[in-house]
Amino acid sequence: MACGCCGGGFAKISKDSFGCSPARNKGAAVCSNKRTIKQADLEVRVLDALANHLMDPDAVQVSCKEYTAERNRLKAAAAGNRKEKEQALDRAKRDHQKLVDAIIAGIPADQVKDRMIDLDTRRQQLERELEQTPAPDTVVFHPSMAEAYRERVTRLIRTLGATEGMEEAKEALRALVERIVLTPAAEGTGLDLTLEGDLAGLLRLAADAEGANTKKASDGAPEVFDISEGIVLVAGVGFEPTTFRL
């Protein structure tokens, strides 16, 4: 948890409340955010955000459209680079074979030895580079991803009240939260919460809810849940529209 005023940490200041640590330990010169939040209130609002705000279908559709377009552009560029290397490898092999044929036809081997060594070195280099550059696949997000995520999160939240599986559910839900920012509300005496979730974790959860990372589209083509690290999805808790930081 982080303070929306100073960026410092929020920590427990009593048995059941959290507050900004710098505001209490370093004074108003560092931070004036003295507002607190009850643990029970915090938990309810975070679970509500996870279940109802983080994977808003309309926001997911817009974000995924832009994200997939950029990822596919990068993959297309990589594919073009791979094609160039494949063509260069074919040329190196053909030129090497021509020299072998020339030796068989009677040209002294010492006249073409250096060129053959260069071509063979080039061939090996290109083969190593191609091994490290796998052929790219098109990135596609399944249209039911948001719904699958919500269903899975709802089941996890229900499990919090059960004896069996409660700890696993807690860990699974914690893994979705990157950071919680607490800022004094513009009206009243409370705090507004902004929940930042790890989009890679959110997408994995959605994929797990579907049972696999790939599905078949209506036309039979594979559709892939592409997972990229370092992407943060942000949702205001109850007050702000969902936005995505890419």
Side-chain angles (χ1 to χ4, degrees):
M1 292 185 292
C3 175
C5 297
C6 69
F10 251 65
K12 266 200 170 182
I13 59 171
S14 68
K15 182 179 179 180
D16 62 352
S17 296
F18 293 90
C20 174
S21 296
R24 279 156 179 76
N25 300 329
K26 299 181 181 180
V30 174
C31 185
S32 60
N33 184 9
K34 288 292 189 70
R35 298 188 184 185
T36 63
I37 186 169
K38 296 287 187 181
Q39 181 172 339
D41 180 31
L42 175 67
E43 291 174 351
V44 167
R45 294 170 71 180
V46 168
L47 290 176
D48 177 66
L50 285 173
N52 300 312
H53 297 280
L54 273 176
M55 292 292 272
D56 176 77
D58 292 337
V60 168
Q61 183 178 5
V62 172
S63 177
C64 291
K65 179 180 178 181
E66 296 300 322
Y67 173 66
T68 53
E70 176 62 12
R71 287 298 296 271
N72 286 329
R73 184 190 67 79
L74 294 174
K75 286 177 177 284
N81 187 40
R82 180 181 174 85
K83 186 67 175 179
E84 291 177 2
K85 289 180 180 180
E86 288 174 340
Q87 292 173 344
L89 177 60
D90 289 341
R91 287 194 299 270
K93 288 180 177 180
R94 286 197 304 270
D95 290 347
H96 189 276
Q97 185 59 47
K98 288 178 182 178
L99 294 178
V100 171
D101 293 341
I103 292 173
I104 294 174
I107 294 180
D110 58 355
Q111 293 184 15
V112 296
K113 182 181 69 172
D114 291 343
R115 177 58 177 160
M116 291 183 71
I117 292 174
D118 290 342
L119 287 170
D120 194 55
T121 300
R122 176 61 172 160
R123 175 188 61 78
Q124 294 179 43
Q125 177 187 353
L126 288 167
E127 287 177 344
R128 285 194 299 268
E129 291 176 0
L130 285 169
E131 285 179 0
Q132 298 171 2
T133 312
D137 296 319
T138 300
V139 177
V140 180
F141 281 88
H142 193 272
S144 66
M145 181 180 62
E147 289 76 10
Y149 163 85
R150 288 180 178 227
E151 179 185 347
R152 176 69 173 138
V153 166
T154 299
R155 289 204 303 268
L156 287 171
I157 292 174
R158 284 201 301 265
T159 305
L160 292 176
T163 302
E164 184 177 354
M166 179 177 64
E167 291 303 319
E168 291 81 359
K170 285 182 180 179
E171 291 304 314
L173 290 168
R174 285 193 189 103
L176 302 178
V177 180
E178 182 79 15
R179 192 171 67 140
I180 302 169
V181 180
L182 300 100
T183 307
E187 298 180 3
T189 59
L191 289 161
D192 285 343
L193 271 66
T194 298
L195 185 67
E196 297 182 1
D198 177 5
L199 183 55
L202 296 168
L203 299 184
R204 286 193 188 94
L205 188 67
D208 290 343
E210 289 293 330
N213 282 348
T214 59
K215 287 177 63 66
K216 293 291 184 179
S218 57
D219 60 359
E223 294 190 324
V224 181
F225 291 103
D226 183 79
I227 306 302
S228 178
E229 301 294 343
I231 298 177
V232 178
L233 174 152
V234 183
V237 183
F239 302 103
E240 303 170 3
T242 303
T243 59
F244 291 80
R245 293 199 317 205
L246 297 180

